[in-house]
Every structure is written in structure tokens, then in C-alpha cells.
Amino acid sequence: MRQLWGRKSENIAAYLFLLPFLIIYSMFMLYPIIRGFVTSLNKVSISMDYTFVGLANYADMFRDRYFWEALWNTFYFVLISTPSLIVVGLGLALIVNAKLKGTTLLRSVFFLPFVLSISVISSIWVFILQPYTGLLNTFLHKLGVVQELFWLDEPQLAWISVLIATVWWTVGFNMVLFLAGLQEIPEDIYEAARIDGAGAWRQFTAITLPSIKSVMLLTVVLQTISSFKLFGQTYLMTKGGPGTSTRTLVQYIYEKGFIERDMGIASAMSYVLFVVTIVFAIIQFKLLSNKD
């Protein structure tokens, strides 16, 4: 009886310690999620009067061609950014893990852009990518490229510009994750492989990649979720243009909700994006996780 009472006391104490977090979490996470879903089922006027319309907002959303364009633009960025950030992040992690002189400085240099805000990053890259006087075009002219490149005014070049800015800004975080995984691999395994005659590429494919599989899964999932939420780079660098060629779903949600004041459809789009992101994350876990 005394042991049972002791366990109950421990449980009560644990819940009391968790209570402040649960209250804050419910206020700022659970309540907005529920309220957003309720909003998606209503027409919301400028005076914030709610009129229940059921699934009408979702029907209007699926009939909106700009919604499908924004969703495709988001998918396109996920497809080009996730592999780029994974490959570059792993490459940088291998460089700073090589135990060469100056790797500590390189580690700081590679990670430094990640601590900057998106407005700063966008301003830097808009300055670099300006036509005629931009740093990149000036450098290309020095190399003999005569044609003037309008990086932010042509659809494909605009996507390349956003991708470059995103990689430069966020790859440091992926590098740190991969570096943590690389440093967990025992050096004895590499020594045994070298004794058996395995070259650098064989060691990488047979030892390094299998050993960081869990880190790879985590990084891919986190990067995919982050890419689905793309907003700041396109909004600040291209304004979603030229035209609407780089307008992502998050930017369209922002325009619908805060410019057109249609909070019902904006909330419906938000939930579609949420479901799509969750589905992609589950698929990646199924494909990349260990099946043992």
C-alpha cells in the first residue's frame, strides 16, 4: 500500500512539473491548430464574423488554378533543394571532419550564415545578383561571359538564385548534423578497412554512409519540411515572380489571408500543406528507415 501511494505521489509530482509546459504548449500549439481548422470551415469577414460554410473553402481552393501553381512551385523547390542541401551538407561535414589544419575556422565559416536572419540573407543575395552592377555578373564578365544575366527576372534563373541563397544560408545546420554522425563512427573500423585494402571511395560507401543512415534520415525529413515552408527567400528576393513563377504555397496563403482578407481559404490551404508535409515525411521514414 505504501509503495502504491509512493508511485502515485511521484506521478503527481511529475504532472505538476509538466503542467506549465503543457499549458503553454496547449495555448500556442494545440489551440491555434484547432482554431485554424475551425476557421477553414467558415467564411470570415473583415470584422472577424464567422459564417459556417463546411467544405466550401476547400472546394473553392481546389478550383483555384493559382493554388495548384503555388503547390507545384513548392514541390519543385523541395525536389531541387533537398538533394542539394543534403549533398553539400555532407560534403562540408566530410571536409571539416578530415582533421586538417584550419578545419575549426572552416566549421565556423560554413555555419555562420545560418545565424543570420532571412531579411539579411535576402538583401545580400539581391545585391550580389543585381544585373549590370551585381557582384556575380561582374565576376562572370571578368571570366569572359558577355551576356548579361537577369538572375531574378527569368523563371529558371530565379529558382537557381533562390536555391543558391537557401543553400548558402541553411547548409551549415545540415553540416553540423552530419558532422555529429561522422564523429560517432569509430576510427578502428576505417583502420581495419585500410589494412584490408579498401580505398577512400570504398570506405565512404561501405562504412560512412551506412553508419550515418539515421542521421541521413533525420536530415532529409527536416530539410523536406523546411523546404515545404519556403517563403522568405522568394518573397524578399523575387516577390514570387517573374509573374507568379516562384510564388510558393506559403506565400499564396499569406496573400490570401492578409492581403485579400480571406482567412477561411487561407486556413484551408494551410491544412492541405500540413497534410502534404506529413505524408511526405511518413513516406521518407518508410523508404529510408531501417527495416530490421
Side-chain angles (χ1 to χ4, degrees):
M1 191 70 179
R2 186 174 299 175
Q3 291 180 349
L4 182 61
W5 172 250
R7 290 179 181 177
K8 288 184 177 180
S9 300
E10 291 178 358
N11 292 336
I12 293 173
Y15 284 122
L16 289 176
F17 278 111
L18 289 172
L19 187 61
F21 166 77
L22 293 175
I23 293 174
I24 296 174
Y25 183 80
S26 300
M27 290 175 57
F28 293 100
M29 290 295 295
L30 297 181
Y31 174 73
I33 291 174
I34 297 172
R35 183 61 181 270
F37 180 71
V38 172
T39 303
S40 72
L41 302 176
N42 289 268
K43 284 289 184 184
V44 185
S45 65
I46 297 178
S47 59
M48 298 304 292
D49 293 327
Y50 282 65
T51 304
F52 181 76
V53 295
L55 299 177
N57 286 327
Y58 291 91
D60 293 340
M61 174 190 65
F62 288 127
R63 288 193 294 266
D64 184 359
R65 68 182 182 89
Y66 292 112
F67 163 76
W68 292 107
E69 181 188 34
L71 183 60
W72 161 247
N73 288 339
T74 304
F75 275 127
Y76 180 71
F77 182 75
V78 171
L79 292 175
I80 64 174
S81 66
T82 302
S84 301
L85 283 158
I86 296 300
V87 172
V88 176
L90 179 57
L92 295 180
L94 291 171
I95 292 173
V96 299
N97 193 51
K99 298 180 176 63
L100 302 174
K101 289 185 178 180
T103 53
T104 302
L105 176 62
L106 287 177
R107 188 183 311 170
S108 302
V109 170
F110 293 152
F111 186 77
L112 184 60
F114 186 72
V115 304
L116 301 177
S117 67
I118 182 56
S119 58
V120 174
I121 296 297
S122 299
S123 299
I124 291 173
W125 280 99
V126 167
F127 173 76
I128 292 174
L129 298 170
Q130 283 180 348
Y132 304 111
T133 59
L135 183 62
L136 182 56
N137 275 345
T138 302
F139 176 73
L140 292 176
H141 292 333
K142 296 290 185 182
L143 295 178
V145 178
V146 180
Q147 181 182 0
E148 193 69 32
L149 297 177
F150 295 87
W151 291 95
L152 302 177
D153 296 325
E154 298 179 12
Q156 291 303 319
L157 290 180
W159 276 120
I160 293 173
S161 303
V162 172
L163 176 62
I164 292 173
T166 303
V167 170
W168 187 74
W169 179 34
T170 62
V171 73
F173 179 74
N174 292 348
M175 179 200 70
V176 170
L177 293 178
F178 281 124
L179 183 61
L182 291 173
Q183 292 180 344
E184 290 295 320
I185 305 174
E187 185 63 28
D188 297 344
I189 300 178
Y190 289 106
E191 291 181 2
R194 285 191 289 269
I195 292 173
D196 290 339
W201 178 251
R202 180 61 176 169
Q203 294 177 41
F204 176 73
T205 56
I207 299 175
T208 305
L209 286 181
S211 299
I212 61 171
K213 186 176 181 180
S214 58
V215 178
M216 181 74 73
L217 171 62
L218 173 65
T219 308
V220 169
V221 172
L222 290 178
Q223 188 55 60
T224 301
I225 294 173
S226 178
S227 296
F228 268 113
K229 297 187 297 181
L230 174 68
F231 171 66
Q233 299 93 300
T234 54
Y235 186 74
L236 295 173
M237 293 177 63
T238 66
K239 301 297 183 184
T244 56
S245 59
T246 61
R247 181 169 65 180
T248 59
L249 188 53
V250 175
Q251 181 178 341
Y252 194 43
I253 291 170
Y254 165 79
E255 293 174 358
K256 278 289 186 181
F258 295 98
I259 297 178
E260 299 181 20
R261 300 290 183 179
D262 195 340
M263 297 299 296
I265 289 183
S267 298
M269 291 180 182
S270 300
Y271 268 85
V272 169
L273 178 61
F274 172 74
V275 171
V276 169
T277 305
I278 292 298
V279 169
F280 260 71
I282 292 174
I283 292 174
Q284 288 171 337
F285 270 111
K286 293 293 185 180
L287 293 178
L288 299 177
S289 61
N290 197 334
K291 296 182 180 180
D292 292 339

